[in-house]
Amino acid sequence: MYKEISVPTKLFAALIILWSLAGSAAAGPDENAVRDLLHSTFDKPEAKLDVAPVVAVSGYAIAGWTQGETGGRALLRNRNGRWAIILCAGDEIRNAEALRQAGIAPDVANALAQALAKAEQTVPADRLAMFARFEGLVRMDEAGNHPPVHDRAH
């Protein structure tokens, strides 16, 4: 009839369930909204954007992205419930000092830089190298667009 399940088997099953729930809950609404914005802005039929990791802290987010053979990071701000891209860069926006220079409060800049460093620990080295390929720091306009003189592909 029914066979009793051993305690180790029950514990293993519980760990599997908790692990799967933790994985699905890892991305919150801010991270998903950032991904959606970047995809809707930069996806092309022939070149889909791959966005990960995304970290969000106190109304600011940083998203790593790759598209084809290039990549970079986007810094975003949430104003009145809407995310907008502030700037695009490579490694330049990985540290708290650069985030402070971009106008982010010191405590938020520190927390954002720490969250990014932690998230990027699991990113493969070849993907991190693609993020670094974006040269310079490109500020975005109020609508989240690159300035007209900038024609760098995402």
Side-chain angles (χ1 to χ4, degrees), residues 77-111:
R77 176 180 47 217
N78 187 322
R79 278 199 178 156
N80 303 318
R82 295 184 55 110
W83 286 98
I85 304 166
I86 299 173
L87 57 86
C88 291
D91 285 347
E92 294 84 1
I93 60 169
R94 291 180 71 196
N95 66 63
E97 179 58 31
L99 295 170
R100 285 191 291 275
Q101 289 178 4
I104 300 175
D107 59 331
V108 177
N110 291 337

PDB file of all heavy atoms in Angstrom, residues 77-111:
ATOM      1  N   ARG A  77      17.042  54.885 -13.223  1.00  0.00           N
ATOM      2  CA  ARG A  77      16.423  55.538 -12.069  1.00  0.00           C
ATOM      3  C   ARG A  77      14.912  55.369 -12.186  1.00  0.00           C
ATOM      4  O   ARG A  77      14.352  55.449 -13.274  1.00  0.00           O
ATOM      5  CB  ARG A  77      16.786  57.018 -12.040  1.00  0.00           C
ATOM      6  CG  ARG A  77      16.092  57.779 -10.916  1.00  0.00           C
ATOM      7  CD  ARG A  77      16.448  59.238 -10.868  1.00  0.00           C
ATOM      8  NE  ARG A  77      16.379  59.847 -12.190  1.00  0.00           N
ATOM      9  CZ  ARG A  77      17.215  60.778 -12.629  1.00  0.00           C
ATOM     10  NH1 ARG A  77      18.172  61.229 -11.873  1.00  0.00           N
ATOM     11  NH2 ARG A  77      17.095  61.275 -13.833  1.00  0.00           N
ATOM     12  N   ASN A  78      14.262  55.183 -11.060  1.00  0.00           N
ATOM     13  CA  ASN A  78      12.812  55.079 -11.020  1.00  0.00           C
ATOM     14  C   ASN A  78      12.258  56.390 -10.480  1.00  0.00           C
ATOM     15  O   ASN A  78      12.564  56.781  -9.360  1.00  0.00           O
ATOM     16  CB  ASN A  78      12.387  53.912 -10.120  1.00  0.00           C
ATOM     17  CG  ASN A  78      10.901  53.653 -10.170  1.00  0.00           C
ATOM     18  OD1 ASN A  78      10.098  54.564 -10.235  1.00  0.00           O
ATOM     19  ND2 ASN A  78      10.541  52.393 -10.127  1.00  0.00           N
ATOM     20  N   ARG A  79      11.457  57.038 -11.305  1.00  0.00           N
ATOM     21  CA  ARG A  79      10.774  58.270 -10.896  1.00  0.00           C
ATOM     22  C   ARG A  79       9.286  58.061 -11.069  1.00  0.00           C
ATOM     23  O   ARG A  79       8.835  57.743 -12.176  1.00  0.00           O
ATOM     24  CB  ARG A  79      11.210  59.458 -11.746  1.00  0.00           C
ATOM     25  CG  ARG A  79      12.493  60.058 -11.300  1.00  0.00           C
ATOM     26  CD  ARG A  79      12.611  61.454 -11.851  1.00  0.00           C
ATOM     27  NE  ARG A  79      13.838  62.059 -11.365  1.00  0.00           N
ATOM     28  CZ  ARG A  79      14.463  63.025 -11.969  1.00  0.00           C
ATOM     29  NH1 ARG A  79      13.991  63.505 -13.106  1.00  0.00           N
ATOM     30  NH2 ARG A  79      15.564  63.534 -11.474  1.00  0.00           N
ATOM     31  N   ASN A  80       8.559  58.231  -9.995  1.00  0.00           N
ATOM     32  CA  ASN A  80       7.107  58.106 -10.027  1.00  0.00           C
ATOM     33  C   ASN A  80       6.647  56.777 -10.623  1.00  0.00           C
ATOM     34  O   ASN A  80       5.696  56.726 -11.404  1.00  0.00           O
ATOM     35  CB  ASN A  80       6.484  59.281 -10.798  1.00  0.00           C
ATOM     36  CG  ASN A  80       6.870  60.612 -10.202  1.00  0.00           C
ATOM     37  OD1 ASN A  80       6.883  60.777  -8.986  1.00  0.00           O
ATOM     38  ND2 ASN A  80       7.221  61.567 -11.052  1.00  0.00           N
ATOM     39  N   GLY A  81       7.363  55.712 -10.278  1.00  0.00           N
ATOM     40  CA  GLY A  81       6.969  54.380 -10.722  1.00  0.00           C
ATOM     41  C   GLY A  81       7.398  54.006 -12.129  1.00  0.00           C
ATOM     42  O   GLY A  81       7.019  52.944 -12.619  1.00  0.00           O
ATOM     43  N   ARG A  82       8.184  54.854 -12.780  1.00  0.00           N
ATOM     44  CA  ARG A  82       8.641  54.568 -14.144  1.00  0.00           C
ATOM     45  C   ARG A  82      10.167  54.539 -14.176  1.00  0.00           C
ATOM     46  O   ARG A  82      10.809  55.489 -13.757  1.00  0.00           O
ATOM     47  CB  ARG A  82       8.130  55.621 -15.119  1.00  0.00           C
ATOM     48  CG  ARG A  82       6.615  55.619 -15.275  1.00  0.00           C
ATOM     49  CD  ARG A  82       6.192  56.607 -16.320  1.00  0.00           C
ATOM     50  NE  ARG A  82       6.889  56.345 -17.571  1.00  0.00           N
ATOM     51  CZ  ARG A  82       6.317  55.869 -18.664  1.00  0.00           C
ATOM     52  NH1 ARG A  82       5.041  55.644 -18.673  1.00  0.00           N
ATOM     53  NH2 ARG A  82       7.016  55.675 -19.763  1.00  0.00           N
ATOM     54  N   TRP A  83      10.708  53.455 -14.721  1.00  0.00           N
ATOM     55  CA  TRP A  83      12.151  53.334 -14.868  1.00  0.00           C
ATOM     56  C   TRP A  83      12.609  54.054 -16.112  1.00  0.00           C
ATOM     57  O   TRP A  83      11.925  54.023 -17.138  1.00  0.00           O
ATOM     58  CB  TRP A  83      12.560  51.866 -14.945  1.00  0.00           C
ATOM     59  CG  TRP A  83      12.491  51.188 -13.622  1.00  0.00           C
ATOM     60  CD1 TRP A  83      11.472  50.411 -13.156  1.00  0.00           C
ATOM     61  CD2 TRP A  83      13.457  51.255 -12.577  1.00  0.00           C
ATOM     62  NE1 TRP A  83      11.755  49.992 -11.886  1.00  0.00           N
ATOM     63  CE2 TRP A  83      12.965  50.478 -11.505  1.00  0.00           C
ATOM     64  CE3 TRP A  83      14.688  51.878 -12.441  1.00  0.00           C
ATOM     65  CZ2 TRP A  83      13.673  50.325 -10.317  1.00  0.00           C
ATOM     66  CZ3 TRP A  83      15.391  51.722 -11.261  1.00  0.00           C
ATOM     67  CH2 TRP A  83      14.886  50.954 -10.215  1.00  0.00           C
ATOM     68  N   ALA A  84      13.750  54.719 -16.022  1.00  0.00           N
ATOM     69  CA  ALA A  84      14.363  55.397 -17.169  1.00  0.00           C
ATOM     70  C   ALA A  84      15.863  55.151 -17.122  1.00  0.00           C
ATOM     71  O   ALA A  84      16.464  55.106 -16.039  1.00  0.00           O
ATOM     72  CB  ALA A  84      14.075  56.897 -17.134  1.00  0.00           C
ATOM     73  N   ILE A  85      16.469  55.020 -18.284  1.00  0.00           N
ATOM     74  CA  ILE A  85      17.908  54.819 -18.375  1.00  0.00           C
ATOM     75  C   ILE A  85      18.593  56.166 -18.187  1.00  0.00           C
ATOM     76  O   ILE A  85      18.266  57.138 -18.869  1.00  0.00           O
ATOM     77  CB  ILE A  85      18.287  54.211 -19.735  1.00  0.00           C
ATOM     78  CG1 ILE A  85      17.528  52.901 -19.957  1.00  0.00           C
ATOM     79  CG2 ILE A  85      19.799  53.987 -19.823  1.00  0.00           C
ATOM     80  CD1 ILE A  85      17.577  52.397 -21.388  1.00  0.00           C
ATOM     81  N   ILE A  86      19.526  56.233 -17.255  1.00  0.00           N
ATOM     82  CA  ILE A  86      20.281  57.459 -16.994  1.00  0.00           C
ATOM     83  C   ILE A  86      21.529  57.494 -17.860  1.00  0.00           C
ATOM     84  O   ILE A  86      21.870  58.504 -18.450  1.00  0.00           O
ATOM     85  CB  ILE A  86      20.705  57.552 -15.519  1.00  0.00           C
ATOM     86  CG1 ILE A  86      19.499  57.571 -14.609  1.00  0.00           C
ATOM     87  CG2 ILE A  86      21.576  58.773 -15.293  1.00  0.00           C
ATOM     88  CD1 ILE A  86      19.875  57.489 -13.136  1.00  0.00           C
ATOM     89  N   LEU A  87      22.238  56.368 -17.870  1.00  0.00           N
ATOM     90  CA  LEU A  87      23.463  56.306 -18.659  1.00  0.00           C
ATOM     91  C   LEU A  87      23.826  54.868 -18.970  1.00  0.00           C
ATOM     92  O   LEU A  87      23.327  53.937 -18.358  1.00  0.00           O
ATOM     93  CB  LEU A  87      24.626  57.020 -17.946  1.00  0.00           C
ATOM     94  CG  LEU A  87      25.035  56.573 -16.554  1.00  0.00           C
ATOM     95  CD1 LEU A  87      26.035  55.424 -16.617  1.00  0.00           C
ATOM     96  CD2 LEU A  87      25.677  57.739 -15.821  1.00  0.00           C
ATOM     97  N   CYS A  88      24.679  54.722 -19.957  1.00  0.00           N
ATOM     98  CA  CYS A  88      25.248  53.425 -20.319  1.00  0.00           C
ATOM     99  C   CYS A  88      26.752  53.518 -20.173  1.00  0.00           C
ATOM    100  O   CYS A  88      27.346  54.570 -20.438  1.00  0.00           O
ATOM    101  CB  CYS A  88      24.900  53.058 -21.761  1.00  0.00           C
ATOM    102  SG  CYS A  88      23.159  52.683 -22.002  1.00  0.00           S
ATOM    103  N   ALA A  89      27.363  52.447 -19.727  1.00  0.00           N
ATOM    104  CA  ALA A  89      28.802  52.430 -19.500  1.00  0.00           C
ATOM    105  C   ALA A  89      29.283  50.986 -19.488  1.00  0.00           C
ATOM    106  O   ALA A  89      28.487  50.061 -19.632  1.00  0.00           O
ATOM    107  CB  ALA A  89      29.136  53.109 -18.167  1.00  0.00           C
ATOM    108  N   GLY A  90      30.564  50.848 -19.283  1.00  0.00           N
ATOM    109  CA  GLY A  90      31.158  49.524 -19.117  1.00  0.00           C
ATOM    110  C   GLY A  90      31.483  49.323 -17.652  1.00  0.00           C
ATOM    111  O   GLY A  90      30.591  49.359 -16.802  1.00  0.00           O
ATOM    112  N   ASP A  91      32.754  49.178 -17.360  1.00  0.00           N
ATOM    113  CA  ASP A  91      33.177  48.974 -15.977  1.00  0.00           C
ATOM    114  C   ASP A  91      33.136  50.256 -15.151  1.00  0.00           C
ATOM    115  O   ASP A  91      33.226  50.206 -13.929  1.00  0.00           O
ATOM    116  CB  ASP A  91      34.598  48.399 -15.942  1.00  0.00           C
ATOM    117  CG  ASP A  91      34.644  46.929 -16.312  1.00  0.00           C
ATOM    118  OD1 ASP A  91      33.576  46.281 -16.359  1.00  0.00           O
ATOM    119  OD2 ASP A  91      35.752  46.425 -16.557  1.00  0.00           O
ATOM    120  N   GLU A  92      32.983  51.400 -15.802  1.00  0.00           N
ATOM    121  CA  GLU A  92      33.056  52.685 -15.104  1.00  0.00           C
ATOM    122  C   GLU A  92      32.006  52.845 -13.998  1.00  0.00           C
ATOM    123  O   GLU A  92      32.221  53.620 -13.073  1.00  0.00           O
ATOM    124  CB  GLU A  92      32.912  53.852 -16.095  1.00  0.00           C
ATOM    125  CG  GLU A  92      34.044  53.970 -17.082  1.00  0.00           C
ATOM    126  CD  GLU A  92      33.863  53.061 -18.305  1.00  0.00           C
ATOM    127  OE1 GLU A  92      32.846  52.351 -18.398  1.00  0.00           O
ATOM    128  OE2 GLU A  92      34.763  53.063 -19.154  1.00  0.00           O
ATOM    129  N   ILE A  93      30.882  52.159 -14.100  1.00  0.00           N
ATOM    130  CA  ILE A  93      29.833  52.359 -13.088  1.00  0.00           C
ATOM    131  C   ILE A  93      29.756  51.219 -12.072  1.00  0.00           C
ATOM    132  O   ILE A  93      28.747  51.039 -11.415  1.00  0.00           O
ATOM    133  CB  ILE A  93      28.450  52.599 -13.728  1.00  0.00           C
ATOM    134  CG1 ILE A  93      28.021  51.423 -14.587  1.00  0.00           C
ATOM    135  CG2 ILE A  93      28.427  53.908 -14.468  1.00  0.00           C
ATOM    136  CD1 ILE A  93      26.575  51.499 -15.025  1.00  0.00           C
ATOM    137  N   ARG A  94      30.825  50.492 -11.928  1.00  0.00           N
ATOM    138  CA  ARG A  94      30.822  49.376 -10.977  1.00  0.00           C
ATOM    139  C   ARG A  94      31.114  49.811  -9.544  1.00  0.00           C
ATOM    140  O   ARG A  94      30.822  49.083  -8.616  1.00  0.00           O
ATOM    141  CB  ARG A  94      31.869  48.339 -11.390  1.00  0.00           C
ATOM    142  CG  ARG A  94      31.506  47.627 -12.661  1.00  0.00           C
ATOM    143  CD  ARG A  94      32.529  46.623 -13.034  1.00  0.00           C
ATOM    144  NE  ARG A  94      32.428  45.509 -12.082  1.00  0.00           N
ATOM    145  CZ  ARG A  94      33.367  44.603 -11.930  1.00  0.00           C
ATOM    146  NH1 ARG A  94      34.481  44.657 -12.622  1.00  0.00           N
ATOM    147  NH2 ARG A  94      33.208  43.627 -11.075  1.00  0.00           N
ATOM    148  N   ASN A  95      31.673  50.988  -9.351  1.00  0.00           N
ATOM    149  CA  ASN A  95      32.064  51.364  -7.984  1.00  0.00           C
ATOM    150  C   ASN A  95      31.216  52.513  -7.452  1.00  0.00           C
ATOM    151  O   ASN A  95      30.636  53.294  -8.200  1.00  0.00           O
ATOM    152  CB  ASN A  95      33.559  51.676  -7.895  1.00  0.00           C
ATOM    153  CG  ASN A  95      33.940  52.896  -8.683  1.00  0.00           C
ATOM    154  OD1 ASN A  95      33.474  53.989  -8.374  1.00  0.00           O
ATOM    155  ND2 ASN A  95      34.778  52.742  -9.698  1.00  0.00           N
ATOM    156  N   ALA A  96      31.178  52.604  -6.133  1.00  0.00           N
ATOM    157  CA  ALA A  96      30.338  53.584  -5.459  1.00  0.00           C
ATOM    158  C   ALA A  96      30.724  55.019  -5.801  1.00  0.00           C
ATOM    159  O   ALA A  96      29.856  55.882  -5.939  1.00  0.00           O
ATOM    160  CB  ALA A  96      30.387  53.358  -3.950  1.00  0.00           C
ATOM    161  N   GLU A  97      32.013  55.290  -5.957  1.00  0.00           N
ATOM    162  CA  GLU A  97      32.449  56.660  -6.279  1.00  0.00           C
ATOM    163  C   GLU A  97      31.863  57.111  -7.617  1.00  0.00           C
ATOM    164  O   GLU A  97      31.371  58.234  -7.737  1.00  0.00           O
ATOM    165  CB  GLU A  97      33.974  56.746  -6.298  1.00  0.00           C
ATOM    166  CG  GLU A  97      34.498  58.128  -6.654  1.00  0.00           C
ATOM    167  CD  GLU A  97      34.020  59.236  -5.723  1.00  0.00           C
ATOM    168  OE1 GLU A  97      33.792  58.991  -4.524  1.00  0.00           O
ATOM    169  OE2 GLU A  97      33.867  60.377  -6.211  1.00  0.00           O
ATOM    170  N   ALA A  98      31.911  56.268  -8.620  1.00  0.00           N
ATOM    171  CA  ALA A  98      31.343  56.618  -9.930  1.00  0.00           C
ATOM    172  C   ALA A  98      29.832  56.827  -9.825  1.00  0.00           C
ATOM    173  O   ALA A  98      29.282  57.732 -10.471  1.00  0.00           O
ATOM    174  CB  ALA A  98      31.660  55.538 -10.944  1.00  0.00           C
ATOM    175  N   LEU A  99      29.173  56.032  -9.012  1.00  0.00           N
ATOM    176  CA  LEU A  99      27.728  56.182  -8.831  1.00  0.00           C
ATOM    177  C   LEU A  99      27.408  57.487  -8.116  1.00  0.00           C
ATOM    178  O   LEU A  99      26.436  58.169  -8.464  1.00  0.00           O
ATOM    179  CB  LEU A  99      27.163  54.980  -8.074  1.00  0.00           C
ATOM    180  CG  LEU A  99      27.259  53.650  -8.827  1.00  0.00           C
ATOM    181  CD1 LEU A  99      26.911  52.475  -7.920  1.00  0.00           C
ATOM    182  CD2 LEU A  99      26.377  53.662 -10.064  1.00  0.00           C
ATOM    183  N   ARG A 100      28.244  57.867  -7.154  1.00  0.00           N
ATOM    184  CA  ARG A 100      28.054  59.165  -6.486  1.00  0.00           C
ATOM    185  C   ARG A 100      28.242  60.306  -7.484  1.00  0.00           C
ATOM    186  O   ARG A 100      27.491  61.278  -7.476  1.00  0.00           O
ATOM    187  CB  ARG A 100      29.020  59.309  -5.309  1.00  0.00           C
ATOM    188  CG  ARG A 100      28.618  58.481  -4.095  1.00  0.00           C
ATOM    189  CD  ARG A 100      29.427  58.828  -2.857  1.00  0.00           C
ATOM    190  NE  ARG A 100      30.824  58.423  -2.964  1.00  0.00           N
ATOM    191  CZ  ARG A 100      31.283  57.206  -2.674  1.00  0.00           C
ATOM    192  NH1 ARG A 100      30.466  56.264  -2.263  1.00  0.00           N
ATOM    193  NH2 ARG A 100      32.565  56.934  -2.789  1.00  0.00           N
ATOM    194  N   GLN A 101      29.230  60.185  -8.362  1.00  0.00           N
ATOM    195  CA  GLN A 101      29.454  61.219  -9.377  1.00  0.00           C
ATOM    196  C   GLN A 101      28.288  61.302 -10.361  1.00  0.00           C
ATOM    197  O   GLN A 101      28.066  62.347 -10.966  1.00  0.00           O
ATOM    198  CB  GLN A 101      30.760  60.957 -10.114  1.00  0.00           C
ATOM    199  CG  GLN A 101      31.977  61.211  -9.263  1.00  0.00           C
ATOM    200  CD  GLN A 101      33.283  60.902  -9.973  1.00  0.00           C
ATOM    201  OE1 GLN A 101      33.310  60.560 -11.148  1.00  0.00           O
ATOM    202  NE2 GLN A 101      34.379  61.017  -9.249  1.00  0.00           N
ATOM    203  N   ALA A 102      27.547  60.216 -10.494  1.00  0.00           N
ATOM    204  CA  ALA A 102      26.368  60.214 -11.369  1.00  0.00           C
ATOM    205  C   ALA A 102      25.155  60.820 -10.666  1.00  0.00           C
ATOM    206  O   ALA A 102      24.070  60.890 -11.242  1.00  0.00           O
ATOM    207  CB  ALA A 102      26.055  58.792 -11.829  1.00  0.00           C
ATOM    208  N   GLY A 103      25.344  61.253  -9.410  1.00  0.00           N
ATOM    209  CA  GLY A 103      24.278  61.939  -8.703  1.00  0.00           C
ATOM    210  C   GLY A 103      23.509  61.092  -7.707  1.00  0.00           C
ATOM    211  O   GLY A 103      22.475  61.516  -7.193  1.00  0.00           O
ATOM    212  N   ILE A 104      24.008  59.909  -7.396  1.00  0.00           N
ATOM    213  CA  ILE A 104      23.323  59.027  -6.450  1.00  0.00           C
ATOM    214  C   ILE A 104      23.852  59.297  -5.041  1.00  0.00           C
ATOM    215  O   ILE A 104      25.059  59.455  -4.843  1.00  0.00           O
ATOM    216  CB  ILE A 104      23.532  57.553  -6.851  1.00  0.00           C
ATOM    217  CG1 ILE A 104      22.953  57.318  -8.257  1.00  0.00           C
ATOM    218  CG2 ILE A 104      22.895  56.613  -5.839  1.00  0.00           C
ATOM    219  CD1 ILE A 104      23.206  55.933  -8.807  1.00  0.00           C
ATOM    220  N   ALA A 105      22.958  59.346  -4.072  1.00  0.00           N
ATOM    221  CA  ALA A 105      23.336  59.585  -2.676  1.00  0.00           C
ATOM    222  C   ALA A 105      24.359  58.538  -2.227  1.00  0.00           C
ATOM    223  O   ALA A 105      24.288  57.380  -2.642  1.00  0.00           O
ATOM    224  CB  ALA A 105      22.099  59.536  -1.784  1.00  0.00           C
ATOM    225  N   PRO A 106      25.309  58.946  -1.371  1.00  0.00           N
ATOM    226  CA  PRO A 106      26.378  58.034  -0.965  1.00  0.00           C
ATOM    227  C   PRO A 106      25.911  56.684  -0.411  1.00  0.00           C
ATOM    228  O   PRO A 106      26.455  55.651  -0.781  1.00  0.00           O
ATOM    229  CB  PRO A 106      27.139  58.826   0.106  1.00  0.00           C
ATOM    230  CG  PRO A 106      26.906  60.258  -0.268  1.00  0.00           C
ATOM    231  CD  PRO A 106      25.505  60.292  -0.810  1.00  0.00           C
ATOM    232  N   ASP A 107      24.903  56.686   0.462  1.00  0.00           N
ATOM    233  CA  ASP A 107      24.467  55.408   1.029  1.00  0.00           C
ATOM    234  C   ASP A 107      23.851  54.496  -0.026  1.00  0.00           C
ATOM    235  O   ASP A 107      24.085  53.285  -0.038  1.00  0.00           O
ATOM    236  CB  ASP A 107      23.508  55.617   2.205  1.00  0.00           C
ATOM    237  CG  ASP A 107      22.259  56.391   1.827  1.00  0.00           C
ATOM    238  OD1 ASP A 107      22.312  57.222   0.890  1.00  0.00           O
ATOM    239  OD2 ASP A 107      21.218  56.183   2.491  1.00  0.00           O
ATOM    240  N   VAL A 108      23.099  55.066  -0.942  1.00  0.00           N
ATOM    241  CA  VAL A 108      22.492  54.279  -2.016  1.00  0.00           C
ATOM    242  C   VAL A 108      23.573  53.817  -2.998  1.00  0.00           C
ATOM    243  O   VAL A 108      23.557  52.661  -3.449  1.00  0.00           O
ATOM    244  CB  VAL A 108      21.388  55.088  -2.750  1.00  0.00           C
ATOM    245  CG1 VAL A 108      20.811  54.298  -3.920  1.00  0.00           C
ATOM    246  CG2 VAL A 108      20.280  55.464  -1.762  1.00  0.00           C
ATOM    247  N   ALA A 109      24.519  54.692  -3.309  1.00  0.00           N
ATOM    248  CA  ALA A 109      25.622  54.326  -4.207  1.00  0.00           C
ATOM    249  C   ALA A 109      26.417  53.159  -3.638  1.00  0.00           C
ATOM    250  O   ALA A 109      26.756  52.208  -4.362  1.00  0.00           O
ATOM    251  CB  ALA A 109      26.533  55.529  -4.445  1.00  0.00           C
ATOM    252  N   ASN A 110      26.704  53.208  -2.336  1.00  0.00           N
ATOM    253  CA  ASN A 110      27.439  52.117  -1.692  1.00  0.00           C
ATOM    254  C   ASN A 110      26.656  50.813  -1.766  1.00  0.00           C
ATOM    255  O   ASN A 110      27.206  49.762  -2.110  1.00  0.00           O
ATOM    256  CB  ASN A 110      27.754  52.461  -0.232  1.00  0.00           C
ATOM    257  CG  ASN A 110      28.777  53.565  -0.110  1.00  0.00           C
ATOM    258  OD1 ASN A 110      29.563  53.810  -1.013  1.00  0.00           O
ATOM    259  ND2 ASN A 110      28.751  54.251   1.023  1.00  0.00           N
ATOM    260  N   ALA A 111      25.364  50.873  -1.432  1.00  0.00           N
ATOM    261  CA  ALA A 111      24.532  49.666  -1.437  1.00  0.00           C
ATOM    262  C   ALA A 111      24.391  49.100  -2.851  1.00  0.00           C
ATOM    263  O   ALA A 111      24.434  47.875  -3.052  1.00  0.00           O
ATOM    264  CB  ALA A 111      23.154  49.968  -0.844  1.00  0.00           C
TER     265      ALA A 111
END
